[in-house]
Amino acid sequence: MFEGITAGLATAMAWQNLIYVIIGCFAGTFIGMLPGLGPMSAIALMIPVTYGFDPASGMILLAGVYYGAIFGGSTSSILINAPGVAGTVATSFDGYPLARKGQAGKALALAAYASFSGGTIAAIFLLLAAPMLAQVSLSFQSPDYFALMVLGLTAVAAFAGKGNVLKAIMMAILGLMLSTIGTDQSSGIQRFTFGKMDLIDGIDFLLLAMATFALAEALMSVFRPDKGGPSSDQLSNMGSLKLSKQEVKEVAPTVARSSILGFFTGVLPGAGATIASFLAYGMERNLASAKEKLGFGKGSLKGLAGPETANNAACTGSFVPLLTLGIPGSGTTAILLGALISYGVQPGPRLFVEQPEVFWSVIISMYLGNLVLLILNLPLIPYIAKLLNMPKQILTPLVLFFSLTGVYLISFNTFDIQMMVLFAVAALVLKLMSFPMAPMILGFILGGMMEDNLRRSLMISDGSLSFLWERPITLAIISIAVVVLLVPAIQAFRKKPEAVEATA
Amino acid sequence: MKNTMNATRVGALLFLILALVYGYNAYQIPLQPWSMDEPFTSRTLPIFLSVIGSIVALLMLILPDNDAQSPAECFSGPGWKVTIALLVLMSLFGVALKPLGFLVSTTLFLLGGYWLLGERRIKVLFLASVPVAVGLWFLLSRILGIYLAPGELFI
């Protein structure tokens, strides 16, 4: 294990990888700041840049983009109350009021420190937890993997929020359906290609991710423009970036609590940064004294530090299932998994054994990414924020253009561009009906692996579904999946009568 | 139930149709003769997905959903014309790439995009498009050595 760590350290510290972390963080911060574009779009937009890199460098850059995008989202939440990312919505509750009071600088600094601490503490947890989990998962067999993927998909659906569970399940199924297009890997039979040569290799994951995230999100901002952009006044008048000792003391316990909460929420399949940040906000408000409670929503430092810490810790936590099991727990990690696969790396327990330098260098550069955000990004925020003043009529066509060419320059097939337009239209329509996109991309990425493991399981058990309960691990995972799925349903039924009473 | 045909139901109905069409096509997947009796074939997962998908879509159609908006509310946005125009422009970009080549089609796409979104200053229109296209073309073809085929019209 220590050899792996030293190899990873050497890789992560190589000068070009250090530069990639920095580039990734900056690019991520910038893209994440643009209202409407979240980390998934940011990562998708940056993937074409990383083709041709070795896997470790590619992942290092993308991990930087991920952190940068979350931080960029926090920045726009605080400055202009327009969270670019769902994970930073909770940040705007107290961050924006602080900015309104002329303490934007303090809010940003606190966000950066909180993110840094959350990321650091979670990186230590990751360092300890990932190898252990990788060891355990070496004993996993096909039925267990199949069960885990079912759990991943149901969990994403279950956490989609009230009223959206069915929609999320539908989107996950849609993703699985899309993944069956192309040549069946095991039999060589073409499925759903309708005789089209362009579909024989199936749909490229980057194409789908780019069309349903970057394109759809950019078009959405045209379809329903936000009211009023940032005023240059807000961007230039940030106030001091310093925190007093008293304030640091005040938020320290919050940061500690939220890191732990965030990390474990991130590890859970389906949860992730958004839920972690809301949970942390809720926790802090519940723990606060009656007097402090009044401050929440009006610029409470604790209310800002909690979600900021938790969302970064959750980002780190979400790498645990990705790296150890090869199963992404969220839309963002699904896109990262797609990138890894296209580099020719198959994440999972064997990654830890066979390519420890990839495994460890990603973990170590996550830590470096946090450091870069704190040391380089924070002081530069006022300048990066100026870029938000770039007119939208220039920015949007550029985003569209880079999405299209990012995909085109890999395949040199103009059919891909038309397919992207088609997917963008579909995604836009689905978005308008508030169908979530993340379960779709997760289903799409997991589709191939799920079919593989299902086939092996069914072959072993000779066509009987008994593989689902024969092994205790499989049974346990499947049971959790069922519970996760049923809880929101039961809650919905329970709530109905109360709601009726309330209106009566 | 006042809004029987809300946006969620429209989505569910579309999805039901999709799942059924998908299921029909799944039965059309050719199988190798020897794999007919195997427990798992190329059809297994698609058929399963079609069944589950139909059930979920039906559930969604049946279950009450009070929060949903009407389709009209859902699909209205001040920028719908521009959005459609941008989609058409993107598609045209794909059509133009082969005959016009990377440089010209990129410049035209960016010009068109800026113009559609309301940029009318000639100077800005050209300064934000031509240098981007030329710079990117230079980076890709001269520095990274990626072969970008010249427009077929110009050969």
Side-chain angles (χ1 to χ4, degrees), chain A residues 447-463:
Chain A
M449 281 189 274
M450 219 167 148
E451 187 168 19
D452 244 17
N453 285 300
L454 178 63
R455 187 182 62 247
R456 261 181 258 148
S457 310
L458 276 173
M459 292 286 187
I460 294 167
S461 68
D462 212 16

Side-chain angles (χ1 to χ4, degrees), chain A residues 37-210:
Chain A
L37 290 181
M40 295 198 234
S41 298
I43 294 170
L45 278 165
M46 290 302 283
I47 286 176
V49 178
T50 64
Y51 280 141
F53 287 17
D54 62 278
S57 306
M59 272 317 272
I60 287 169
L61 188 128
L62 293 181
V65 172
Y66 190 7
Y67 285 109
I70 293 274
F71 186 66
S74 310
T75 311
S76 52
S77 293
I78 291 170
L79 290 179
I80 57 177
N81 200 17
V85 188
T88 59
V89 170
T91 303
S92 65
F93 294 164
D94 279 302
Y96 185 61
L98 270 174
R100 292 286 299 270
K101 283 190 219 160
Q103 294 178 314
K106 183 187 275 181
L108 282 170
L110 180 60
Y113 293 132
S115 299
F116 172 74
S117 322
T120 306
I121 297 172
I124 295 168
F125 277 126
L126 178 65
L127 207 70
L128 299 171
M132 281 198 289
L133 196 58
Q135 288 297 332
V136 174
S137 61
L138 274 172
S139 66
F140 279 20
Q141 292 173 6
S142 296
D144 311 330
Y145 274 108
F146 177 75
L148 270 174
M149 288 174 207
V150 172
L151 174 61
L153 288 177
T154 46
V156 168
F159 286 122
K162 69 174 172 76
N164 281 329
V165 178
L166 279 177
K167 284 180 182 172
I169 296 175
M170 260 188 200
M171 292 306 284
I173 295 173
L174 180 65
L176 289 169
M177 284 178 171
L178 289 172
S179 76
T180 58
I181 296 175
T183 310
D184 181 2
Q185 293 301 320
S186 67
S187 64
I189 294 171
Q190 285 179 34
R191 297 190 289 191
F192 309 105
T193 57
F194 306 104
K196 269 221 161 279
M197 280 294 282
D198 302 292
L199 286 174
I200 283 184
D201 286 334
I203 297 167
D204 181 43
F205 112 88
L206 183 62
L207 188 158
L208 190 66
M210 207 77 109

Side-chain angles (χ1 to χ4, degrees), chain B:
Chain B
M1 219 179 286
K2 38 183 192 202
N3 46 352
T4 34
M5 209 56 216
N6 60 40
T8 309
R9 291 218 166 79
V10 175
L13 198 63
L14 286 175
F15 196 79
L16 181 64
I17 297 168
L18 175 77
L20 292 175
V21 172
Y22 178 87
Y24 172 77
N25 278 293
Y27 274 104
Q28 309 297 312
I29 296 171
L31 292 181
Q32 282 129 344
W34 62 84
S35 64
M36 290 287 187
D37 325 312
E38 277 176 10
F40 193 92
T41 66
S42 301
R43 281 182 193 170
T44 315
L45 186 72
I47 290 172
F48 173 75
L49 288 176
S50 161
V51 171
I52 292 273
S54 310
I55 294 173
V56 175
L58 278 174
L59 268 179
M60 217 160 166
L61 277 170
I62 296 164
L63 290 179
D65 181 6
N66 300 321
D67 307 333
Q69 304 165 296
S70 73
E73 263 177 282
C74 207
F75 294 116
S76 63
W80 66 274
K81 279 184 193 157
V82 186
T83 310
I84 292 174
L86 280 174
L87 285 164
V88 173
L89 183 71
M90 276 154 47
S91 179
L92 287 176
F93 174 63
V95 174
L97 261 172
K98 274 227 162 95
L100 296 181
F102 182 83
L103 257 179
V104 178
S105 33
T106 298
T107 311
L108 289 178
F109 175 82
L110 291 176
L111 274 176
Y114 302 150
W115 194 81
L116 280 175
L117 287 170
E119 183 60 69
R120 290 293 182 276
R121 289 165 293 179
I122 302 286
K123 213 167 126 191
V124 177
L125 278 173
F126 280 92
L127 277 180
S129 60
V130 179
V132 174
V134 174
L136 202 65
W137 174 83
F138 186 79
L139 177 76
L140 289 168
S141 62
R142 298 291 156 214
I143 297 176
L144 297 175
I146 295 169
Y147 176 71
L148 293 169
E152 282 161 6
L153 283 180
F154 306 122
I155 309 175

Side-chain angles (χ1 to χ4, degrees), chain A residues 106-334:
Chain A
K106 183 187 275 181
L108 282 170
L110 180 60
Y113 293 132
S115 299
F116 172 74
S117 322
T120 306
I121 297 172
I124 295 168
F125 277 126
L126 178 65
L127 207 70
L128 299 171
M132 281 198 289
L133 196 58
Q135 288 297 332
V136 174
S137 61
L138 274 172
S139 66
F140 279 20
Q141 292 173 6
S142 296
D144 311 330
Y145 274 108
F146 177 75
L148 270 174
M149 288 174 207
V150 172
L151 174 61
L153 288 177
T154 46
V156 168
F159 286 122
K162 69 174 172 76
N164 281 329
V165 178
L166 279 177
K167 284 180 182 172
I169 296 175
M170 260 188 200
M171 292 306 284
I173 295 173
L174 180 65
L176 289 169
M177 284 178 171
L178 289 172
S179 76
T180 58
I181 296 175
T183 310
D184 181 2
Q185 293 301 320
S186 67
S187 64
I189 294 171
Q190 285 179 34
R191 297 190 289 191
F192 309 105
T193 57
F194 306 104
K196 269 221 161 279
M197 280 294 282
D198 302 292
L199 286 174
I200 283 184
D201 286 334
I203 297 167
D204 181 43
F205 112 88
L206 183 62
L207 188 158
L208 190 66
M210 207 77 109
T212 51
F213 287 97
L215 281 185
E217 285 175 354
L219 287 171
M220 196 67 170
S221 74
V222 175
F223 191 86
R224 284 203 187 130
D226 299 323
K227 285 155 249 131
S231 67
S232 45
D233 185 48
Q234 269 167 307
L235 295 179
S236 52
N237 240 331
M238 291 206 180
S240 157
L241 284 169
K242 286 201 179 70
L243 286 171
S244 71
K245 250 190 196 149
Q246 183 59 36
E247 285 161 338
V248 174
K249 246 189 202 157
E250 191 188 326
V251 297
T254 301
V255 168
R257 281 193 295 263
S258 305
S259 313
I260 299 168
L261 179 76
F263 177 77
F264 287 104
T265 316
V267 173
L268 292 178
T274 310
I275 293 173
S277 61
F278 279 104
L279 281 179
Y281 191 80
M283 178 176 78
E284 284 311 314
R285 202 172 40 187
N286 285 337
L287 288 177
S289 64
K291 198 179 140 215
E292 283 174 325
K293 249 177 208 157
L294 293 173
F296 274 77
K298 296 188 187 111
S300 156
L301 293 182
K302 282 185 174 178
L304 175 62
E308 263 308 292
T309 313
N311 71 24
N312 248 42
C315 288
T316 310
S318 65
F319 276 82
V320 173
L322 175 70
L323 290 173
T324 55
L325 301 170
I327 296 174
S330 65
T332 320
T333 41

Side-chain angles (χ1 to χ4, degrees), chain A residues 1-2 15-16 22 33 49 128 186 199 208 222 227 265 276 317 367 370 399 409 433 454 473-475 479 491 497:
Chain A
M1 181 175 149
F2 286 104
W15 65 269
Q16 82 263 39
I22 296 173
M33 257 192 206
V49 178
L128 299 171
S186 67
L199 286 174
L208 190 66
V222 175
K227 285 155 249 131
T265 316
Y367 188 71
N370 279 311
V399 171
L409 288 172
M433 295 190 289
L454 178 63
I473 303 182
T474 329
L475 181 64
S479 313
Q491 274 179 342

